[in-house]
Amino acid sequence: PPEIAAAPLEALRRGEFGAGGSSAASLGLLASKASAQPKLNGIIESEPAGEPAPSMASTAQLAEPASEDAAHASDDEGSQPERRPIRRISEQRRQRRASSAGALTVDEVDTNGAPWREQRVLAGHMDCVRAVDTRGDVAASGGDDGVVAVWALEAARPRRPGARDAGPTAMLRGHLSAVTSVTVGAEHVYAGGLDSSIRAWALPAAGGACGDDVAGVFPAREYAGHTDAVWGLALAPHASLLASVSADATCRLWSTDAQQTPAAPRATLRGAHCPTALCFARDGGGDARLAVGYASGLVDVRDLGAASSAVAFHAGSRVTRVAQQGALLAVACAGGAVQVYDARTGASVLGSSGILAYPAAGVAATAVDIADPFLVTGGSDGAVKWWDWRRPQRSVCEVGSAHAQKADEGVCAVRFAAGSDVLTAGADGLVRL
C-alpha cells in the first residue's frame, strides 16, 4: 500500500508503523531481516533514519534496466569475467613463433596443422578393442569379444549435425577368444587372436550390410602354426606375404595365395627374445623389409630378400608398437617414450631421448602411427596425441580422454586413414574417427 511504501524505513525496523500491533511487529521483523543483508536486491546499500524508502514500483524500475541493450551492458560491465576470444593467426606469424619460441599461446590456433576433431564413434564391439587397420575406405577392428568388425568409412562420416554413432557393415566371427591384431588386404581381412590362430574373411561386397551374406560371416581361410597368442599381423605392400609375431617367440611368414586351409607357414624366424610388434615398409620401394620389435626393447629390421637382419638397435624398453613410412620407423615403448629412427641405418632422427609422450609414472605409449610429418600416439591413460616429428618439443594436438580407461588400459591402437583422418581404438569398446 502507498502508506507503507512511504513510511520511514527506520519506523518499519522498530515496528512502530500502523495501529495493528501484530502487523506492525511482522513488518518490523521482515524489515530487520532485510537490514541484516548488506544489499537488498543489489539496490539499497543503507538507509538513513527518517529518509523514505523507495516504493515497490520505483524499486522494480530500478531493478530492471530500461532496455535489453542496457541489461547486456550491465552484465558485461559487472560480474561477468572478461572473455578472451580465440584468434586465428597468419602463416607468417606461425612460422615466426615456431622459429623463436617454438610454441603457440593458449588462445591461439595453429591453422597450418590439421585440426583433429572427433567426427564419429564407431560402436559395435562389446568389450575392449585391441586392434584397428584400414585400407582405402574399409576399416576393420578386433577386440576382446572375439569379433572382427568391418566399417565403411565414407558411410560412417556424419551426414547431418549431431549424428555420432555408426554401426559396422559386417561382424565377422570365428575366433575362440579375444582378437589381438587385424590387417586389411585387397580382398580379405586377417585377424590373429589369443587362441593362437590367424583367420581370414572375404571382405563384404561394396554396400553390403551385416547379415546380407551369412557364409561371409565365417572365415574363408585359417593359418595354423603358432602355439601361443598372436600379438601382431602385417601385410607386405606389394607381395602376397603375411607376417605374424606370437608369444611363442617366433615370427612367421605366410602366403596369402595358399589354397589349402589351414595353411602352413612359408618361413619361421626365431630370436632370443619374444616379439611383440611388427610392420612392413609402406612405400614398398626396393626389397621388402620387415621391422620386428621385442619385449627386450630390441628392434630388428630384416631384409626378406636376403633373409638376414639388415639393422638392429635398442629402443629402451619393451616395444609395444612399430610403424613405418618410407625410411622412417616410429617405435612406441612401454616406458612412455616414442622414438623415430632411420630404418636404413638405425640412427635416431630425434636424438637419444626421443619424445617422452607420456611422462607420468606407469603410463605406457601403447600405440603409434606415422604419416610424415605427423605422428599419432596413444597411451594407457586414454590420451591421444599428435606430433610433428620435426618439432617434437610439444604436441600439435591432444585429446586427454579420447578413450575411457579400464583397469590399466586406455588407448590400444591408432591408425592413420585416408588423408589426415585417424582411427583410434580403446578399452572402452569404441573406435573413434
Side-chain angles (χ1 to χ4, degrees):
E3 58 271 18
I4 293 180
L9 182 60
E10 194 62 33
L12 290 176
R13 289 174 180 159
R14 295 193 300 268
E16 297 174 353
F17 175 78
S22 60
S23 59
S26 301
L27 287 171
L29 178 62
L30 292 175
S32 64
K33 288 183 178 180
S35 64
Q37 303 293 332
K39 271 191 177 183
L40 182 61
N41 294 333
I43 299 168
I44 302 176
E45 292 285 353
S46 61
E47 198 72 41
E51 189 172 333
S55 67
M56 293 182 181
S58 61
T59 301
Q61 292 174 358
L62 287 172
E64 183 176 353
S67 66
E68 185 177 354
D69 293 337
H72 291 304
S74 63
D75 288 343
D76 292 341
E77 296 171 2
S79 61
Q80 295 293 330
E82 180 183 358
R83 295 182 179 179
R84 301 174 64 190
I86 293 178
R87 306 190 302 274
R88 294 194 175 275
I89 61 174
S90 64
E91 172 64 15
Q92 292 79 8
R93 186 180 176 191
R94 189 198 69 80
Q95 291 178 353
R96 287 198 304 270
R97 284 182 174 269
S99 60
S100 58
L104 302 176
T105 58
V106 175
D107 59 341
E108 292 177 337
V109 175
D110 186 350
T111 56
N112 188 50
W116 285 278
R117 299 289 183 269
E118 182 182 287
Q119 297 184 32
R120 206 73 181 265
V121 176
L122 309 183
H125 286 283
M126 303 299 293
D127 207 338
C128 173
V129 184
R130 299 198 173 275
V132 66
D133 192 32
T134 180
R135 184 186 180 98
D137 186 52
V138 177
S141 59
D144 286 359
D145 55 5
V147 174
V148 175
V150 179
W151 318 82
L153 294 182
E154 187 59 34
R157 289 183 174 85
R159 298 283 189 242
R160 62 187 186 280
R164 295 295 302 278
D165 292 0
T169 58
M171 301 290 281
L172 309 178
R173 305 178 187 276
H175 279 283
L176 304 179
S177 57
V179 175
T180 55
S181 54
V182 295
T183 185
V184 182
E187 299 178 354
H188 292 81
V189 55
Y190 304 83
L194 291 182
D195 57 5
S196 75
S197 71
I198 301 170
R199 302 175 189 268
W201 296 260
L203 284 173
C210 181
D212 288 352
D213 184 4
V214 176
V217 173
F218 300 99
R221 194 173 300 160
E222 182 181 352
Y223 299 86
H226 285 297
T227 59
D228 209 334
V230 178
W231 294 135
L233 292 175
L235 278 169
H238 299 295
S240 57
L241 191 64
L242 175 69
S244 61
V245 291
S246 169
D248 62 9
T250 64
C251 174
R252 298 180 188 266
L253 304 178
W254 318 79
S255 174
T256 57
D257 295 332
Q259 298 302 317
Q260 73 275 15
T261 184
R266 285 175 49 179
T268 300
L269 309 176
R270 300 182 184 274
H273 308 282
C274 180
T276 53
L278 81 166
C279 70
F280 278 102
R282 284 195 198 166
D283 61 355
D287 295 332
R289 283 193 169 189
L290 177 67
V292 182
Y294 292 85
S296 63
L298 178 70
V299 178
D300 186 12
V301 181
R302 287 184 170 268
D303 189 342
L304 298 181
S308 61
S309 177
V311 62
F313 49 89
H314 204 277
S317 58
R318 178 173 60 90
V319 176
T320 57
R321 286 289 189 276
V322 290
Q324 187 172 356
Q325 185 185 44
L328 296 176
L329 177 65
V331 180
C333 297
V338 175
Q339 185 61 273
V340 179
Y341 297 93
D342 186 335
R344 299 164 298 186
T345 63
S348 172
V349 177
L350 303 178
S352 59
S353 59
I355 300 173
L356 188 55
Y358 301 92
V363 179
T366 54
V368 68
D369 199 12
I370 183 169
D372 193 22
F374 292 111
L375 292 170
V376 59
T377 63
S380 60
D381 59 352
V384 176
K385 301 180 181 183
W386 286 260
W387 310 81
D388 184 340
W389 65 264
R390 301 166 302 181
R391 293 186 290 272
Q393 292 80 11
R394 58 169 292 175
S395 59
V396 175
C397 178
E398 293 186 13
V399 181
S401 300
H403 290 275
Q405 282 187 284
K406 179 181 178 182
D408 58 348
E409 296 181 303
V411 180
C412 298
V414 296
R415 191 72 161 88
F416 274 105
S420 60
D421 288 349
V422 171
L423 287 168
T424 67
D428 54 5
L430 299 175
V431 178
R432 300 184 186 273
L433 175 63

